[in-house]
Amino acid sequence: MSTEETSRFVRLRVELVLEIDDEEAVSRAARRRLSDETENGDMSAEERVHAQQAVTEDTAEALAYLVDPFALVAEVPGVELQQASWSGERIEYDPDAPDWDVDEDDVDEDHDDEGGGDGATEYRGHPG
């Protein structure tokens, strides 16, 4: 039997391109979540200071901090998330460029499967 027939694990790849209309609102929401996590004891004061600085200085960082891949699959029956990796980075975007064809097969040999490019901050997590 092949791995596809026997493995219960599936890697789901999702790529989103988001337009940010209000950078301050994104940064404010990330700082609010950081504050809540500190109050709940989920983050040390030292970690909070570093994270506060990062989400204040970089909107892509703030957005990556707000995205919760665990929430994306929490309600899917019969699925338990084992690991997640995600990142945010500023990009040049031209929806009319051939590189942005959503129907194009997205296999890119130069693409790093973990999502970290130049200037990207990657977040990893395990449920629980």
Side-chain angles (χ1 to χ4, degrees), residues 9 70 80-84 125-127:
F9 297 94
F70 302 104
E80 182 178 338
L81 182 62
Q82 297 297 307
Q83 181 179 350
H126 296 277

Side-chain angles (χ1 to χ4, degrees), residues 46-119:
E46 183 179 320
E47 290 173 316
R48 180 177 178 254
V49 168
H50 175 72
Q52 285 275 18
Q53 181 180 2
V55 302
T56 299
E57 294 175 359
D58 185 354
T59 306
E61 180 98 18
L63 185 59
Y65 188 80
L66 290 167
V67 169
D68 183 0
F70 302 104
L72 293 173
V73 297
E75 301 298 320
V76 177
V79 172
E80 182 178 338
L81 182 62
Q82 297 297 307
Q83 181 179 350
S85 174
W86 66 106
S87 66
E89 64 184 314
R90 290 192 179 269
I91 61 168
E92 294 297 322
Y93 177 65
D94 177 3
D96 297 324
D99 294 347
W100 292 102
D101 183 5
V102 294
D103 294 328
E104 184 178 303
D105 183 52
D106 73 350
V107 174
D108 182 356
E109 293 180 19
D110 294 330
H111 185 272
D112 177 7
D113 285 343
E114 298 303 324
D118 290 336

Side-chain angles (χ1 to χ4, degrees), residues 29-42:
R31 289 191 307 268
R32 189 176 312 117
R33 179 173 290 173
L34 280 165
S35 179
D36 291 346
E37 288 178 356
T38 301
E39 289 174 12
N40 295 334
D42 295 339

